[in-house]
Amino acid sequence: MVSTIAFGQGNNCDCQQIVGTCAVSVSVIPTESTKGSYGADLKLTSSAPICSKVDYYVDGTPYFTILSQGNRGEDRVFGQKPITRANLSSISCQICKQAGTPADNPGRTASPDQPSQKIDLSGTWNSVQTCSFGTGTSTITITQTNPGDASISGRLANATIDSGRIEGDTVTIQASNWLGNQVQMEGRVVGPGRISGTYTQTASAGVRQWSATKT
C-alpha cells in the first residue's frame, strides 16, 4: 500500500515545529470486518484547542492524526484481528505551531528531544505505509554521506523508490510502479531511529501516513 508532517492537514498546522505537549483521550468504535480485515473508528479529544498531533500504535503499527480544525478529530485504523482500546499503545500528544503565529526565536537552543543532524541514519529501515485499505510494509536503505545529508533507496509496498533524500531532518521520496502510479512522500526524522510523514499517489486521492524504524 502506498495517507505531510509538513504543513499539516488543513494547511493551518506546521508540525515541523512542535511548541508543546498535550493530553489526549481516545475512544475506539469497532466497524465491520471484511475478509479477515478488521476496522475501527477512533474518536480523539485533545486538551489543546487546535493543532494537536497524536501519535499512537495499533498492534505495533504506528499511526498519527493531526487535529487541525479544533480539539476533536477522528481516524480509522485497520488490522487482522478485532481492534479494541487494548490494542492501542504508546499514545502521545504534541502541539504543532499554528500557521500565522510568530515564528520562534531562531537562535534558541534545540530541545533535548529534537533530532540532531549528527545522528547516523545509515542502515536498513522497516517502513509501514498506511491507507484506507490497510497497511503495507517494505524495507528501505539509507546511506548517509555527511551529517544531515543522506540518500534513500529500496522499495515501498507497491512501488520502487526512484529517488529519496534526507536534508537536515526533512525527508522526501519519489517512487513509481510499472502501472504508472507516482508516489510523493514527505516526512521528518523524529528520533535516532524513527521517521514519520505522509504521502500522496496518483492512483487515488487523499493524504496517507507512513513511517519507518531503523532495524
Side-chain angles (χ1 to χ4, degrees), residues 17-20 97 101-108:
Q17 302 185 57
I18 301 299
V19 298
K97 179 180 177 292
T101 58
D104 293 333
N105 180 5
R108 75 189 188 285

Side-chain angles (χ1 to χ4, degrees), residues 31 40 87 101 108 136 173:
T31 59
N87 298 97
T101 58
R108 75 189 188 285
I173 296 174

Side-chain angles (χ1 to χ4, degrees), residues 186-211:
E186 299 180 13
R188 179 171 174 262
V189 180
V190 295
R194 188 181 178 203
I195 295 172
S196 183
T198 60
Y199 68 92
T200 58
Q201 58 183 352
T202 57
S204 59
V207 179
R208 300 163 177 84
Q209 303 170 4
W210 73 280
S211 65

Side-chain angles (χ1 to χ4, degrees), residues 39-194:
D41 289 332
L42 306 186
K43 308 290 186 180
L44 307 121
T45 303
S46 172
S47 60
I50 196 170
C51 288
S52 297
K53 177 178 175 287
V54 182
D55 288 274
Y56 51 94
Y57 283 75
V58 179
D59 290 332
T61 299
Y63 293 83
F64 72 86
T65 299
I66 298 173
L67 308 183
S68 62
Q69 304 301 318
N71 73 327
R72 298 175 184 269
E74 300 181 2
D75 199 3
R76 174 164 291 187
V77 296
F78 294 87
Q80 295 180 344
K81 59 183 180 180
I83 299 171
T84 67
R85 182 62 175 77
N87 298 97
L88 273 66
S89 62
S90 301
I91 301 171
S92 64
C93 184
Q94 297 177 303
I95 305 172
C96 304
K97 179 180 177 292
Q98 188 173 356
T101 58
D104 293 333
N105 180 5
R108 75 189 188 285
T109 301
S111 61
D113 60 349
Q114 184 175 359
S116 169
Q117 294 185 3
K118 296 183 180 181
I119 294 173
D120 184 8
L121 302 173
S122 295
T124 302
W125 294 62
N126 292 328
S127 176
V128 177
Q129 300 105 53
T130 304
C131 67
S132 59
F133 298 104
T135 59
T137 60
S138 63
T139 300
I140 63 176
T141 300
I142 296 180
T143 303
Q144 185 167 325
T145 53
N146 297 296
D149 184 12
S151 61
I152 304 172
S153 59
R155 289 189 55 81
L156 306 179
N158 66 350
T160 300
I161 295 176
D162 300 316
S163 64
R165 300 293 306 172
I166 300 177
E167 297 180 352
D169 294 333
T170 302
V171 182
T172 56
I173 296 174
Q174 292 81 41
S176 61
N177 65 17
W178 65 278
L179 294 173
N181 186 30
Q182 301 291 320
V183 183
Q184 176 68 43
M185 310 179 79
E186 299 180 13
R188 179 171 174 262
V189 180
V190 295
R194 188 181 178 203

